[in-house]
């Protein structure tokens, strides 16, 4: 079998991966204390469901890994967040403001539950990509243990980040032309809503 | 341009060897393996292949600060009674140093091998070699299309940001101002890219993208004898090394 | 022989309020160059998409009637299996690349790889097309670094490499400069000489007058005029449907209405010479 997704979804995935990259890049150009590197993944989740979102998330980090292999294990974080967001989207979460907010909490929890063990176990507490480790070091010097330090550091950066990313997707879905939206697996969901 | 011996190798064989070495370093848990075996060998291979400069730049920039942090955190904050040196809240311990060495050694094995693979391999070739072993077309598409899409969208995002600035949208100032600049820069890019997907899908279908025929490949890539044998030899060597480490009476522990 | 046949077709887009076509029938013969004209929104692109199967396979809607390719229903065929039978060139040159190839040469081979054409045969066909379209200078360039006109030629090359017998070309020059336009029509001329069946949507009416065998005018959910190029492009009525006529035809119509009756309204230069030669 050559095809696992529809062609529309398949073409969306590389665009989403690029969006993940550009989001992260823009965040650093604008000197925002956030990653914003998951907008593409969440967007795929919203219009195409969990599996394509997990692929988009996972491949994002594999490609990051081509130049810095330490990013590769964090693919799990993207995959977990994509799964949560995609599952929620299938249940219609992105149709309402309230459920989008709850989804962002789910994504945030998924990110924490995966990123913290990876950083602590694989990299001895130093985030593979560098970000966040200065904050970790700060918490360490205040006398906290390694796990708590990594977790507190992640808490700060992740919370605002995931909340903002999820809501950007909420608004993006509403800005897409209907004729395009209906070609995606979950797209029709948002069209009926606006009628 | 003449290809070096590493560049000439079949992409899949290189990748397999890199992963074998990585797994071995996790299993044996001896810091000497990374620092005294893999690291020097990889640098030597890069040198022989004519890629020493760019390779070492990549490896060092990935390792130095990262490893420094790991050493600081592990060496000074690992709870232990075996303190060598102490200053205020910093306590340097033997266990900590040992842990830091082992951890960084394993990371360095993955880093140095994978970076050498990526440095010496054209990604399209890697994809073709994976497709020939049964990876679906669509997986190769996702990878390769992303690699072209990222620089293209990056270029466009910078153009949009310039235009936004010209229209008076602040991209500097306090954090709230900067956060507000994020959305209008990113969203037109995303929306136009997604709107084009319909026509892109038709373009791909017009080129038989979902055809049920098995693919053929323009890139004439095939594994030479050595490409087929070498991964097995390395596997054998790794197994022997593990035996030497783990079986009492033969080797160490 | 009928290459394509549309039977009593009605179509409405999934999200459309109104039908785009109502009970439209049409047949296109093998080897014909048929131009489709009509004002914006009259359904030219929709018809092209239907003839290639993109509707309903990629874009859904309510469809009645049938579309046949040599007596087989396109509606029931697999989209990709049509690619070596019906080629399609899009309006926008910038979306028409695979997005995964590093050189124009490999880009042209993309369709052949998907079809599973053996490597030797693939190379033979790529070389042949590059020569035919005279794009030797582009073959080592990166597809994403070409100009609009170059991209359009590479897009045509990539489709032609699969050697389809029918080609649907939707406003290939609307985003190109005069030089680019000329180059595309050079290619269309070559294709016509190869006796391909061509369905062409184009706004530049003088070019249609020069190249097309037959013209179809779409308006209000159906075909209003369908006939030989010189027959249709000499009708004054055509202009009331939001399309232009060739300058020569306009001159002929004016002359016919204001000066004296002509034996025939000319639409290309040779006809005009013929009609006017005993007048002056
Ligand atoms: N994907 C689509 N979804 C809904 N309506 C569409 C779509 N594409 C075109 N239309 C509508 O169908 C009609 C015919 O459009 P089109 O075939 O593009 O005309 P033309 O190519 O002659 O300009 C127009 O009213 C247009 O708005
Ligand atoms: Mg059109």
């Amino acid at each position: 079998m050559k095809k696992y997704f529809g062609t529309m979804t398949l073409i969306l995935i590389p665009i989403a991966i690029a969006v993940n990259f550009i989001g992260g890049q823009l965040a650093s150009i604008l000197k925002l204390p956030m990653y914003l590197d998951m907008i593409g993944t969440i967007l795929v989740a919203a219009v195409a469901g969990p599996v394509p979102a997990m692929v988009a998330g996972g491949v994002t980090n594999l490609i990051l890994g081509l130049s810095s292999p330490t990013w590769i294990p964090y693919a799990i974080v993207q995959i977990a967040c994509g799964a949560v967001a995609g599952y929620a989207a299938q249940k219609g979460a992105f149709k309402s403001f309230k459920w989008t907010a709850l989804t962002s909490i789910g994504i945030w929890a998924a990110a924490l539950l995966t990123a913290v063990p990876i950083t602590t176990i694989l990299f001895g507490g130093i985030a593979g990509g560098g970000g966040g480790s200065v904050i970790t070091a700060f918490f360490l010097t205040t006398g906290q243990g390694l796990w708590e330090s990594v977790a507190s550091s992640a808490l700060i950066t992740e919370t605002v980040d995931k909340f903002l990313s999820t809501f950007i997707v909420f608004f993006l879905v509403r800005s897409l032309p209907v004729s395009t939206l209906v070609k995606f697996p979950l797209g029709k969901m948002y069209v009926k809503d606006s009628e | 341009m003449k290809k070096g011996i590493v560049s000439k190798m079949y992409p899949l064989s290189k990748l397999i060897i890199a992963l074998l070495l990585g797994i071995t370093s996790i299993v044996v848990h001896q810091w000497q393996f990374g620092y005294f075996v893999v690291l020097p060998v990889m640098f030597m291979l890069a040198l022989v292949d004519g890629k020493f400069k760019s390779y070492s730049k990549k490896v060092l920039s990935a390792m130095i600060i990262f490893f420094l942090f790991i050493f600081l955190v592990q060496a000074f904050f690992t709870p232990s009674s075996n303190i060598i040196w102490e200053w205020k809240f910093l306590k340097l311990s033997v266990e900590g140093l040992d842990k830091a060495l082992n951890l960084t050694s394993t990371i360095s094995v993955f880093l140095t091998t994978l970076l050498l693979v990526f440095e010496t391999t054209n990604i399209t070739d890697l994809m073709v070699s994976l497709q020939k072993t049964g990876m679906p077309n669509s997986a190769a598409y996702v990878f390769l299309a992303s690699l072209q899409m990222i620089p293209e969208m990056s270029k466009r995002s910078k153009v949009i940001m310039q235009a936004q600035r010209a229209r008076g949208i602040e991209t500097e100032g306090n954090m709230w101002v900067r956060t507000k600049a994020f959305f209008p820069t990113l969203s037109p890019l995303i929306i136009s890219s997604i709107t084009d997907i319909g026509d892109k899908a038709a373009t791909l279908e017009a080129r038989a993208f979902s055809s049920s025929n098995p693919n053929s490949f323009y890139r004439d890539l095939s594994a030479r004898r050595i490409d087929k044998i070498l991964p097995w030899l390395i596997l054998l060597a790794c197994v022997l090394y593990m035996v030497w480490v783990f079986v009492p009476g033969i080797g160490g522990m | 022989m009928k290459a394509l046949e549309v039977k009593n077709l009605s179509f409405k887009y999934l999200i459309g309020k109104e039908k785009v076509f109502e009970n439209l029938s049409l047949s296109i013969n093998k080897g014909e160059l048929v131009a489709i004209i009509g004002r914006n929104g009259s359904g030219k692109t929709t018809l092209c998409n239907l003839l290639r199967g993109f509707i309903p396979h990629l874009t859904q809607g309510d469809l009645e009637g049938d579309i046949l390719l040599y007596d087989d229903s396109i509606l029931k065929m697999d989209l990709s299996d049509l690619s070596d039978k019906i080629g399609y060139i899009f309006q926008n040159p910038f979306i028409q690349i695979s997005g995964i190839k590093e050189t124009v040469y490999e880009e042209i081979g993309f369709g052949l790889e998907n079809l599973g054409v053996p490597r030797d045969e693939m190379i033979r066909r790529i070389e042949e097309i590059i020569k035919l379209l005279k794009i030797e200078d582009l073959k080592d360039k990166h597809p994403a670094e070409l100009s609009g006109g170059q991209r359009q030629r590479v897009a045509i090359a990539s489709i032609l490499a699969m050697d389809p017998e029918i080609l649907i070309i939707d406003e290939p020059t609307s985003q190109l400069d005069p030089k680019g336009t000329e180059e595309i029509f050079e290619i269309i001329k070559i294709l016509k000489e190869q006796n391909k069946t061509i369905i062409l949507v184009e706004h530049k009416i003088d070019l249609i007058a020069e190249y097309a065998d037959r013209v179809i005018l779409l308006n209000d959910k159906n075909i209003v005029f369908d006939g030989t190029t010189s027959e249709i492009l000499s009708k004054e009525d055509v202009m009331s449907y939001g399309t232009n006529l060739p300058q020569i035809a306009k001159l002929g119509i004016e002359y016919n209405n204001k000066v004296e009756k002509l034996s025939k309204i000319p639409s290309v230069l040779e006809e005009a010479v013929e009609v006017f030669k005993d007048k002056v």
Side-chain angles (χ1 to χ4, degrees):
Chain A
M1 189 165 89
K2 275 190 171 183
K3 257 171 91 168
Y4 293 93
F5 313 125
T7 311
M8 288 294 287
T9 304
L10 190 67
I11 301 174
L12 176 65
I13 293 174
I15 292 176
I17 290 168
V19 169
N20 285 344
F21 270 80
I22 311 304
Q25 204 176 50
L26 262 181
S28 85
I29 291 177
L30 291 170
K31 303 193 192 70
L32 302 177
M34 284 168 270
Y35 304 124
L36 298 172
D37 59 354
M38 214 179 264
I39 296 172
T41 306
I42 302 174
L43 184 62
V44 177
V47 301
V51 179
M54 290 157 77
V55 172
V59 176
T60 298
N61 277 56
L62 287 185
I63 289 179
L64 272 169
L66 295 180
S67 50
S68 350
T70 42
W71 278 103
I72 295 174
Y74 290 94
I76 308 223
V77 181
Q78 288 261 7
I79 291 170
C81 293
V84 170
Y87 181 76
Q90 266 179 347
K91 300 278 169 217
F94 283 93
K95 286 199 289 187
S96 78
F97 208 80
K98 187 182 89 190
W99 280 100
T100 304
L102 285 171
T103 304
S104 86
I105 296 174
I107 296 171
W108 167 81
L112 279 189
L113 288 176
T114 46
V116 173
I118 292 172
T119 300
T120 317
I121 296 170
L122 295 189
F123 299 127
I126 308 301
S133 38
V134 181
I135 309 181
T136 307
F138 168 77
F139 279 111
L140 277 172
T141 59
T142 62
Q144 293 190 26
L146 190 54
W147 278 84
E148 290 90 334
S149 301
V150 175
S152 336
S153 149
L155 260 171
I156 292 178
T157 41
E158 298 284 345
T159 310
V160 189
D161 184 53
K162 296 300 172 287
F163 193 76
L164 202 61
S165 302
T166 314
F167 272 96
I168 286 177
V169 171
F170 178 83
F171 288 112
L172 276 175
V173 170
R174 271 149 195 78
S175 331
L176 289 176
V178 174
S179 57
T180 305
L181 205 48
V182 292
K183 292 183 186 171
F184 292 107
L186 303 182
K188 289 184 192 117
M189 198 188 269
Y190 306 105
V191 178
K192 284 199 196 81
D193 210 40
S194 63
E195 267 171 11
Chain B
M1 205 172 74
K2 218 172 144 279
K3 279 182 162 183
I5 54 159
V6 188
S7 298
K8 254 194 328 221
M9 238 182 122
Y10 194 62
L12 193 60
S13 309
K14 278 188 260 190
L15 194 62
I16 291 172
I17 292 171
L19 294 178
L20 281 176
L21 293 175
I23 292 167
T24 306
S25 86
I26 293 177
V27 174
V28 298
H29 211 70
Q30 281 186 336
W31 64 267
Q32 293 87 343
F33 179 62
Y35 283 120
F36 293 159
V37 181
V38 177
L39 195 115
V41 170
M42 292 303 137
F43 272 95
M44 238 166 60
L45 286 173
L47 185 70
V48 174
D49 205 65
K51 298 245 159 53
F52 187 77
K53 217 174 131 188
S54 63
Y55 174 73
S56 49
K57 211 169 117 187
K58 277 187 190 155
V59 171
L60 292 180
S61 72
M63 280 195 340
I64 290 182
I65 301 204
F66 185 42
F67 279 18
L68 201 75
F69 266 105
I70 294 181
F71 265 98
L72 282 177
V73 169
Q74 292 297 332
F76 288 104
F77 293 93
T78 303
S80 154
S81 49
N82 217 339
I83 307 290
I84 318 174
W85 179 81
E86 194 170 351
W87 179 75
K88 291 199 178 162
F89 55 84
L90 296 173
K91 297 184 180 70
L92 184 63
S93 66
V94 178
E95 286 91 337
L97 261 178
D98 201 50
K99 227 175 127 188
L101 270 173
N102 275 318
L103 199 63
T104 51
S105 158
T106 301
I107 298 171
S108 78
V109 171
F110 279 98
L111 260 177
T112 52
T113 54
L114 288 176
L115 279 175
L116 188 67
V117 173
F118 300 142
E119 182 73 29
T120 58
T121 309
N122 175 297
I123 300 296
T124 307
D125 289 346
L126 177 63
M127 289 298 141
V128 170
S129 74
L130 288 167
Q131 275 173 292
K132 281 188 171 171
T133 58
M135 185 180 80
N137 240 2
S138 44
Y141 174 81
V142 165
F143 236 90
L144 296 174
S146 303
L147 287 175
Q148 292 206 5
M149 190 65 78
I150 293 163
E152 188 198 312
M153 274 177 88
S154 172
K155 215 161 44 184
R156 277 163 61 199
S157 78
K158 276 167 197 142
V159 174
I160 294 176
M161 192 136 111
Q162 291 292 327
Q164 305 284 22
R165 278 200 188 117
R167 279 175 43 205
I169 292 181
E170 302 266 357
T171 55
E172 271 148 60
N174 68 37
M175 200 166 88
W176 175 234
V177 169
R178 284 179 280 131
T179 308
K180 273 196 309 187
F182 184 83
F183 191 67
T185 309
L186 198 65
S187 63
L189 188 64
I190 297 180
I191 291 164
S192 72
S193 304
I194 291 182
T195 309
D196 284 344
I197 296 180
D199 283 351
K200 273 200 172 157
T203 299
L204 291 187
E205 294 304 346
R207 313 257 186 100
F209 185 61
S210 323
S211 162
S212 46
N213 295 4
N215 248 55
S216 56
F217 300 97
Y218 167 69
R219 300 230 175 167
D220 194 19
L221 225 57
S222 49
R224 299 161 302 169
R225 236 174 118 96
I226 174 109
D227 297 322
K228 288 178 189 154
I229 300 172
L230 203 59
W232 292 105
L233 287 180
I234 304 272
L235 177 67
L236 187 69
C238 289
V239 170
L240 286 178
Y241 176 38
M242 287 180 213
V243 169
W244 179 71
V245 171
F246 287 113
V247 180
I250 300 180
M253 333 219 292
Chain C
M1 189 160 68
K2 284 176 192 164
L4 280 167
E5 188 175 7
V6 178
K7 282 183 164 169
N8 308 98
L9 175 81
S10 297
F11 178 74
K12 186 181 94 57
Y13 280 104
L14 193 63
I15 55 154
K17 301 246 169 344
E18 255 193 284
K19 282 186 181 170
V20 183
F21 298 121
E22 182 127 41
N23 206 20
L24 180 147
S25 294
L26 161 73
S27 59
I28 288 162
N29 297 319
K30 192 166 175 330
E32 253 183 337
L33 198 168
V34 183
I36 300 179
I37 58 174
R39 63 164 57 94
N40 270 336
S42 59
K44 304 180 294 295
T45 299
T46 307
L47 183 59
C48 291
N49 275 296
L50 280 156
L51 290 173
R52 175 59 178 81
F54 292 151
I55 300 174
H57 290 291
L58 285 178
T59 305
Q60 283 135 25
D62 306 330
L63 194 152
E64 282 165 51
D66 207 351
I67 302 166
L68 306 177
L69 167 70
Y70 293 113
D71 301 327
D72 291 323
S73 173
I74 284 180
L75 307 178
K76 296 192 190 84
M77 276 185 228
D78 197 79
L79 202 48
S80 277
D81 291 344
L82 278 167
S83 21
D84 52 352
K85 302 185 179 69
I86 312 179
Y88 197 107
I89 317 292
F90 298 80
Q91 181 169 7
N92 182 348
F94 291 93
I95 49 105
Q96 284 186 83
I97 47 170
S98 64
I100 61 172
K101 295 296 181 188
E102 288 163 33
T103 63
V104 165
Y105 196 96
E106 287 182 84
E107 176 72 21
I108 297 171
F110 177 62
L112 301 172
E113 290 184 321
N114 291 330
L115 289 172
V117 173
R119 187 166 181 272
D120 298 338
E121 168 74 4
M122 186 190 304
I123 291 173
R124 192 187 64 71
R125 289 216 222 163
I126 299 174
E127 304 272 354
E128 187 184 294
I129 291 300
I130 287 179
K131 225 172 107 196
L132 183 70
L133 303 198
K134 304 189 189 72
I135 49 174
E136 287 91 350
D137 53 326
L138 303 180
K139 74 180 196 319
D140 297 322
K141 293 208 166 137
H142 197 291
E145 281 158 13
L146 304 177
S147 72
Q150 292 172 329
R151 279 176 193 236
Q152 198 61 294
R153 282 188 288 156
V154 170
I156 296 177
S158 311
I159 291 297
L160 288 181
M162 293 186 289
D163 198 24
E165 180 201 310
I166 302 171
L167 281 158
I168 300 174
I169 314 179
D170 186 7
E171 298 197 39
T173 65
S174 65
Q175 302 186 17
L176 305 186
D177 58 14
K179 182 165 170 288
T181 303
E182 194 181 310
E183 283 164 348
I184 298 300
F185 272 86
E186 285 292 307
I187 295 174
I188 291 178
K189 203 156 115 189
I190 295 171
L191 297 178
K192 204 179 154 178
E193 279 157 12
Q194 292 189 337
N195 213 22
K196 301 261 186 206
T197 308
I198 301 170
I199 295 148
L200 173 69
V201 179
E202 177 60 66
H203 275 300
K204 293 169 185 131
I205 203 80
D206 291 297
L207 290 170
I208 290 184
E210 196 180 330
Y211 290 94
D213 300 318
R214 177 177 157 198
V215 174
I216 291 174
L217 173 64
L218 291 180
N219 194 61
D220 192 25
K221 310 189 183 76
N222 219 317
I223 296 174
V224 266
F225 292 129
D226 179 353
T228 62
T229 306
S230 60
E231 183 190 332
I232 305 298
L233 293 189
S234 55
K235 279 191 203 294
E236 196 173 350
D237 291 356
V238 167
M239 289 200 281
S240 62
Y241 293 106
T243 31
N244 213 341
L245 279 179
Q247 289 300 324
I248 287 171
K250 282 195 211 163
L251 168 76
I253 290 167
E254 281 293 287
Y255 192 90
N256 192 55
N257 293 348
K258 302 230 171 93
V259 186
E260 60 176 316
K261 285 273 171 263
L262 288 173
S263 57
K264 174 180 192 297
I265 308 287
S267 58
V268 289
L269 202 56
E270 293 89 72
E271 282 177 3
V273 171
E274 195 61 36
V275 171
F276 283 105
K277 74 175 178 228
D278 42 301
K279 301 277 177 211
V280 196

